[in-house]
Amino acid sequence: MIIDDNILIKYCDNELSEEEILFIETWASSSSDNQKLLERIYFTLEATKRLHVMNTVDTDKAFAHFKLKHKGQKRSLGFSWLLGFQKIAAILFIPLLIIVGYLYLQKDGDGKLQMVEINTNPGVISTYELPDGSKVWLNANSSLKYALTADAQKRIVELVGEGYFEVAKNPQKPFIVKVGRDYSIEVLGTSFNVSAYIDEDLIETTLLEGAVKLDMLLENNQISSLEMEPNQQAVYYKNEKAVVVSDVNPELNIDWTNGEIIFRQEPMIKVLKTLSRHYNVQFDVQNPDIYDAIITATFKDEQLVQVMEYLSVASGIKYTIQKSEINENMLKKSIVEIYK
């Protein structure tokens, strides 16, 4: 039986009668293809709504409105995945930039959807509530995979990029953040930040509250465990397979969740990598000694030109912003040439 897409859209928007809802859910349960179609339509609708969310939105008010909008929706137990989506709150802090999220389909024996993957675009900071009640903030150019249900013995998520986690306590179900094949973080209930961009040769884990255990592959090809305490940061060097732990002020590592870009005595090479992700630009550095500059600065809502003007004054560089290009993701990327 073929169901008109407009009917399915009305179902997702809760515009059908109880009888019609039952009919659609019976139809969707009749085959995995039907369920897959309905899942895609629902997610597409929710993702489209987020395209219009700007940084002027009050995040708490927006999340409350989102929950209120879906309050009282009638869904059968077979469609608990919809309830999982309703807990997602994508709040954009950088104007005119959008979040791109899409489904990561991992099938079990019954062909049911198990995982969701969420991506953020350059300059976008987003926050979500996971099905277990944990909260996560994703920085620009980051992605997170997680299960829609919390039925498994362990709560496992996969992170690429940077994320700040406030984990709901559940001693019976450890929360595990996987970063590639060689590094994972296990917690029961705590707050911590992880920076693990692919183009960086290190992974930074900063603990604010609670306790975490790191499992990582060291240079002897053995898995080693390390327990962290609050106000500590562990830096894992991926190439050397070595780890260094130090005491830090952890609040300095989560300023990005407020839309700030903060550099404190940072080398120029790290500054440019951060700005590249945030503004979706490519830096063409003409003089290698430019990387020797050390930068201390705080930016929030500044345009790229304003940031470059500050760097020009602080380090003596000159710059030229060239025309935009289209990269492999069909996003416009400007080229910034830096020279002396």
Side-chain angles (χ1 to χ4, degrees), residues 16-67:
L16 299 180
S17 66
E18 292 187 22
E19 182 178 354
E20 290 171 324
I21 289 175
L22 179 60
F23 175 79
I24 294 300
E25 294 183 348
T26 301
W27 167 83
S29 300
S30 65
S31 77
S32 60
D33 288 340
N34 293 348
Q35 180 176 329
K36 182 178 178 181
L37 174 60
L38 186 56
E39 289 166 352
R40 287 179 174 176
I41 288 177
Y42 181 86
F43 186 83
T44 301
L45 288 173
E46 293 304 316
T48 301
K49 294 172 186 177
R50 284 160 176 72
L51 300 182
H52 300 92
V53 181
M54 307 298 291
N55 69 320
T56 54
V57 173
D58 183 313
T59 58
D60 293 332
K61 182 179 179 181
F63 187 34
H65 173 73
F66 185 77
K67 291 191 295 184

Coordinates of all heavy atoms in Angstrom, one line a residue, residues 16-67:
L16 N -3.3 14.4 12.7 CA -4.3 13.4 12.3 C -5.1 13.0 13.5 O -4.7 13.3 14.7 CB -3.6 12.2 11.8 CG -2.7 12.4 10.5 CD1 -2.1 11.0 10.1 CD2 -3.5 12.9 9.4
S17 N -6.2 12.4 13.3 CA -7.1 11.9 14.3 C -6.5 10.6 14.9 O -5.5 10.0 14.3 CB -8.5 11.6 13.8 OG -8.4 10.5 12.9
E18 N -7.0 10.2 16.1 CA -6.4 9.0 16.7 C -6.6 7.8 15.8 O -5.7 6.9 15.7 CB -7.1 8.7 18.0 CG -6.8 9.7 19.1 CD -7.4 9.4 20.4 OE1 -7.6 8.2 20.6 OE2 -7.5 10.2 21.3
E19 N -7.7 7.7 15.1 CA -8.0 6.6 14.2 C -6.9 6.6 13.0 O -6.4 5.6 12.6 CB -9.4 6.7 13.6 CG -9.7 5.5 12.7 CD -11.2 5.6 12.2 OE1 -11.9 6.5 12.7 OE2 -11.5 4.8 11.3
E20 N -6.7 7.8 12.5 CA -5.7 7.9 11.4 C -4.3 7.6 11.9 O -3.5 7.0 11.1 CB -5.8 9.3 10.8 CG -7.1 9.6 10.0 CD -7.2 11.1 9.7 OE1 -6.8 11.9 10.5 OE2 -7.7 11.3 8.6
I21 N -4.0 8.0 13.1 CA -2.7 7.7 13.7 C -2.5 6.2 13.8 O -1.4 5.7 13.4 CB -2.5 8.4 15.1 CG1 -2.4 9.9 14.9 CG2 -1.3 7.8 15.8 CD1 -2.3 10.6 16.2
L22 N -3.5 5.5 14.3 CA -3.4 4.1 14.4 C -3.2 3.4 13.0 O -2.4 2.4 12.9 CB -4.7 3.5 15.0 CG -4.7 2.0 15.2 CD1 -3.6 1.5 16.1 CD2 -6.1 1.6 15.8
F23 N -3.9 3.9 12.0 CA -3.8 3.4 10.6 C -2.3 3.6 10.1 O -1.8 2.6 9.6 CB -4.7 4.1 9.7 CG -4.6 3.7 8.3 CD1 -5.1 2.5 7.8 CD2 -3.9 4.5 7.4 CE1 -5.0 2.2 6.5 CE2 -3.7 4.2 6.1 CZ -4.3 3.0 5.6
I24 N -1.7 4.7 10.3 CA -0.4 5.0 9.8 C 0.6 4.1 10.6 O 1.5 3.5 10.0 CB 0.0 6.5 10.0 CG1 -0.9 7.4 9.1 CG2 1.5 6.7 9.7 CD1 -0.7 7.1 7.6
E25 N 0.5 3.9 11.9 CA 1.4 3.1 12.6 C 1.3 1.7 12.3 O 2.3 0.9 12.3 CB 1.2 3.4 14.1 CG 1.6 4.8 14.5 CD 1.5 5.1 16.0 OE1 0.9 4.2 16.7 OE2 1.9 6.1 16.5
T26 N 0.1 1.2 12.0 CA -0.1 -0.2 11.5 C 0.6 -0.3 10.1 O 1.2 -1.4 9.9 CB -1.6 -0.5 11.4 OG1 -2.2 -0.3 12.7 CG2 -1.8 -1.9 10.9
W27 N 0.4 0.6 9.3 CA 1.0 0.6 8.0 C 2.6 0.6 8.1 O 3.2 -0.2 7.4 CB 0.6 1.8 7.1 CG 1.4 2.1 5.9 CD1 1.3 1.5 4.7 CD2 2.5 3.0 5.8 NE1 2.2 1.9 3.8 CE2 3.0 2.9 4.5 CE3 3.2 3.8 6.7 CZ2 4.1 3.6 4.0 CZ3 4.2 4.6 6.2 CH2 4.7 4.5 4.9
A28 N 3.1 1.4 9.0 CA 4.6 1.5 9.1 C 5.1 0.2 9.7 O 6.2 -0.2 9.4 CB 4.9 2.7 10.0
S29 N 4.3 -0.4 10.6 CA 4.8 -1.7 11.2 C 4.8 -2.9 10.3 O 5.4 -3.9 10.6 CB 3.9 -2.0 12.4 OG 4.0 -1.0 13.4
S30 N 4.1 -2.7 9.1 CA 4.0 -3.8 8.2 C 5.2 -4.2 7.5 O 5.4 -5.3 6.9 CB 2.8 -3.6 7.2 OG 3.1 -2.5 6.4
S31 N 6.2 -3.2 7.4 CA 7.4 -3.5 6.7 C 8.5 -2.5 7.1 O 8.2 -1.4 7.5 CB 7.2 -3.4 5.1 OG 7.2 -2.0 4.7
S32 N 9.8 -3.0 7.0 CA 10.9 -2.1 7.4 C 11.0 -0.9 6.4 O 11.5 0.2 6.8 CB 12.2 -2.9 7.4 OG 12.4 -3.5 6.1
D33 N 10.6 -1.1 5.2 CA 10.7 0.0 4.2 C 9.7 1.1 4.6 O 10.1 2.3 4.5 CB 10.4 -0.5 2.8 CG 11.5 -1.3 2.2 OD1 12.7 -1.2 2.7 OD2 11.3 -2.1 1.3
N34 N 8.5 0.7 5.0 CA 7.6 1.7 5.4 C 8.1 2.5 6.7 O 8.0 3.7 6.7 CB 6.2 1.1 5.8 CG 5.6 0.5 4.5 OD1 6.0 0.8 3.4 ND2 4.5 -0.3 4.7
Q35 N 8.6 1.8 7.6 CA 9.1 2.4 8.8 C 10.3 3.4 8.5 O 10.4 4.5 9.0 CB 9.6 1.4 9.8 CG 10.1 2.0 11.1 CD 10.5 0.9 12.1 OE1 9.9 -0.1 12.2 NE2 11.5 1.2 12.9
K36 N 11.2 2.9 7.6 CA 12.3 3.7 7.2 C 11.9 5.0 6.5 O 12.4 6.1 6.8 CB 13.2 2.9 6.2 CG 14.5 3.6 5.8 CD 15.3 2.7 4.9 CE 16.5 3.4 4.4 NZ 17.3 2.6 3.4
L37 N 10.9 4.9 5.7 CA 10.3 6.1 5.0 C 9.8 7.1 6.1 O 10.1 8.3 6.0 CB 9.2 5.7 4.0 CG 8.5 6.9 3.4 CD1 9.5 7.8 2.6 CD2 7.4 6.4 2.5
L38 N 9.0 6.6 7.0 CA 8.4 7.5 8.0 C 9.5 8.1 8.9 O 9.4 9.3 9.2 CB 7.5 6.7 8.9 CG 6.6 7.5 9.9 CD1 5.9 8.6 9.2 CD2 5.7 6.6 10.7
E39 N 10.6 7.3 9.2 CA 11.7 7.9 10.0 C 12.3 9.0 9.3 O 12.7 10.1 9.9 CB 12.7 6.8 10.3 CG 12.2 5.7 11.3 CD 13.0 4.5 11.3 OE1 13.9 4.4 10.5 OE2 12.8 3.6 12.2
R40 N 12.6 8.8 8.0 CA 13.2 9.9 7.2 C 12.4 11.1 7.1 O 12.9 12.3 7.2 CB 13.6 9.3 5.8 CG 14.7 8.3 5.8 CD 14.9 7.8 4.4 NE 16.1 7.0 4.3 CZ 16.5 6.3 3.2 NH1 15.8 6.4 2.1 NH2 17.6 5.6 3.3
I41 N 11.1 11.0 6.9 CA 10.3 12.2 6.8 C 10.3 12.9 8.2 O 10.3 14.2 8.2 CB 8.8 11.7 6.4 CG1 8.8 11.3 5.0 CG2 7.8 12.9 6.7 CD1 7.4 10.8 4.5
Y42 N 10.2 12.2 9.3 CA 10.1 12.9 10.6 C 11.4 13.6 10.8 O 11.4 14.8 11.2 CB 10.0 11.8 11.7 CG 9.9 12.5 13.1 CD1 8.7 13.0 13.6 CD2 11.1 12.6 13.8 CE1 8.7 13.6 14.8 CE2 11.0 13.3 15.0 CZ 9.8 13.7 15.5 OH 9.8 14.4 16.8
F43 N 12.6 13.0 10.5 CA 13.8 13.7 10.8 C 14.0 14.9 9.9 O 14.5 15.9 10.3 CB 15.0 12.7 10.6 CG 16.3 13.3 11.0 CD1 16.7 13.3 12.3 CD2 17.1 13.8 10.0 CE1 17.9 13.9 12.6 CE2 18.3 14.4 10.3 CZ 18.7 14.5 11.6
T44 N 13.6 14.7 8.6 CA 13.7 15.8 7.7 C 12.9 17.0 8.1 O 13.4 18.2 8.0 CB 13.3 15.4 6.2 OG1 14.1 14.3 5.8 CG2 13.4 16.5 5.3
L45 N 11.7 16.8 8.6 CA 10.9 17.9 9.1 C 11.6 18.6 10.3 O 11.6 19.8 10.4 CB 9.5 17.3 9.6 CG 8.6 16.9 8.5 CD1 7.3 16.3 9.1 CD2 8.2 18.1 7.6
E46 N 12.1 17.8 11.2 CA 12.8 18.4 12.4 C 14.0 19.2 12.0 O 14.3 20.2 12.5 CB 13.1 17.3 13.4 CG 11.9 16.7 14.0 CD 11.0 17.7 14.7 OE1 11.4 18.6 15.4 OE2 9.7 17.6 14.5
A47 N 14.8 18.6 11.1 CA 16.0 19.3 10.6 C 15.7 20.6 9.9 O 16.4 21.6 10.1 CB 16.8 18.3 9.7
T48 N 14.6 20.6 9.1 CA 14.2 21.8 8.4 C 13.9 22.9 9.3 O 14.2 24.1 9.1 CB 13.1 21.4 7.4 OG1 13.5 20.4 6.5 CG2 12.6 22.7 6.7
K49 N 13.2 22.5 10.4 CA 12.8 23.6 11.4 C 14.0 24.3 12.0 O 14.0 25.5 12.2 CB 11.9 22.9 12.5 CG 10.6 22.4 12.0 CD 9.9 21.6 13.1 CE 8.6 21.0 12.6 NZ 8.0 20.2 13.7
R50 N 15.1 23.5 12.1 CA 16.3 24.0 12.8 C 17.0 25.0 11.8 O 17.9 25.8 12.3 CB 17.2 22.9 13.2 CG 16.7 22.3 14.5 CD 17.2 20.9 14.7 NE 16.8 20.3 15.9 CZ 15.6 19.8 16.1 NH1 14.7 19.9 15.2 NH2 15.3 19.3 17.3
L51 N 16.7 24.9 10.6 CA 17.4 25.9 9.6 C 17.1 27.3 9.9 O 17.8 28.2 9.5 CB 17.0 25.5 8.2 CG 17.4 24.1 7.7 CD1 17.0 24.0 6.2 CD2 18.9 23.8 7.9
H52 N 15.9 27.5 10.6 CA 15.4 28.9 10.8 C 15.8 29.4 12.2 O 15.4 30.5 12.6 CB 13.9 29.0 10.6 CG 13.5 28.6 9.2 ND1 13.2 27.3 8.9 CD2 13.4 29.3 8.1 CE1 12.9 27.2 7.6 NE2 13.0 28.4 7.1
V53 N 16.5 28.6 13.0 CA 16.8 29.0 14.4 C 18.1 29.8 14.3 O 19.1 29.4 13.8 CB 17.0 27.8 15.3 CG1 17.4 28.2 16.7 CG2 15.8 26.9 15.3
M54 N 18.0 31.0 14.9 CA 19.2 31.9 14.9 C 19.8 32.1 16.3 O 19.2 31.6 17.3 CB 18.7 33.3 14.3 CG 18.0 33.2 13.0 SD 19.1 32.5 11.7 CE 20.2 33.9 11.5
N55 N 20.9 32.8 16.3 CA 21.5 33.0 17.6 C 20.8 33.9 18.6 O 21.1 34.0 19.7 CB 22.9 33.5 17.4 CG 22.9 35.0 17.0 OD1 22.1 35.3 16.1 ND2 23.8 35.8 17.5
T56 N 19.7 34.5 18.1 CA 18.9 35.4 19.0 C 17.9 34.6 19.8 O 17.3 35.1 20.7 CB 18.1 36.4 18.2 OG1 17.4 35.7 17.2 CG2 19.1 37.3 17.5
V57 N 17.9 33.3 19.6 CA 16.9 32.4 20.3 C 17.4 32.3 21.8 O 18.5 32.0 22.1 CB 16.8 31.0 19.7 CG1 15.9 30.1 20.5 CG2 16.2 31.2 18.3
D58 N 16.4 32.4 22.7 CA 16.7 32.1 24.1 C 16.7 30.5 24.2 O 15.6 29.9 24.0 CB 15.5 32.7 25.0 CG 15.8 32.4 26.5 OD1 16.0 31.2 26.8 OD2 15.6 33.3 27.2
T59 N 17.8 29.9 24.5 CA 17.9 28.5 24.4 C 17.0 27.8 25.4 O 16.4 26.8 25.0 CB 19.4 28.1 24.8 OG1 19.7 28.5 26.1 CG2 20.3 28.6 23.7
D60 N 16.9 28.2 26.6 CA 16.0 27.6 27.6 C 14.5 27.7 27.1 O 13.7 26.7 27.2 CB 16.1 28.2 29.0 CG 17.4 27.9 29.6 OD1 18.0 26.9 29.2 OD2 17.9 28.7 30.4
K61 N 14.1 28.9 26.6 CA 12.8 29.1 26.1 C 12.5 28.2 24.9 O 11.4 27.6 24.8 CB 12.6 30.6 25.8 CG 11.1 30.9 25.3 CD 11.0 32.4 25.1 CE 9.6 32.7 24.6 NZ 9.5 34.2 24.3
A62 N 13.5 28.1 24.0 CA 13.3 27.3 22.8 C 13.1 25.9 23.1 O 12.3 25.2 22.5 CB 14.5 27.5 21.9
F63 N 13.9 25.3 24.1 CA 13.8 23.9 24.4 C 12.4 23.7 25.1 O 11.8 22.7 24.8 CB 14.9 23.5 25.3 CG 15.0 22.1 25.6 CD1 14.6 21.1 24.7 CD2 15.4 21.6 26.8 CE1 14.7 19.8 24.9 CE2 15.5 20.3 27.1 CZ 15.1 19.3 26.1
A64 N 12.0 24.6 26.0 CA 10.7 24.4 26.6 C 9.6 24.4 25.6 O 8.6 23.7 25.7 CB 10.5 25.5 27.7
H65 N 9.7 25.3 24.6 CA 8.7 25.4 23.6 C 8.6 24.2 22.7 O 7.6 23.7 22.4 CB 9.0 26.6 22.7 CG 8.1 26.7 21.4 ND1 6.8 27.1 21.5 CD2 8.3 26.4 20.1 CE1 6.2 27.0 20.3 NE2 7.1 26.6 19.5
F66 N 9.8 23.6 22.5 CA 9.9 22.4 21.7 C 9.2 21.2 22.4 O 8.4 20.5 21.8 CB 11.4 22.1 21.4 CG 11.5 20.9 20.5 CD1 11.4 21.0 19.1 CD2 11.9 19.7 21.0 CE1 11.5 20.0 18.3 CE2 12.1 18.6 20.1 CZ 11.9 18.7 18.8
K67 N 9.5 21.1 23.7 CA 8.8 20.0 24.5 C 7.3 20.2 24.6 O 6.5 19.3 24.5 CB 9.5 20.0 25.8 CG 10.9 19.5 25.8 CD 11.4 19.2 27.2 CE 11.5 20.4 28.1 NZ 12.0 20.1 29.4

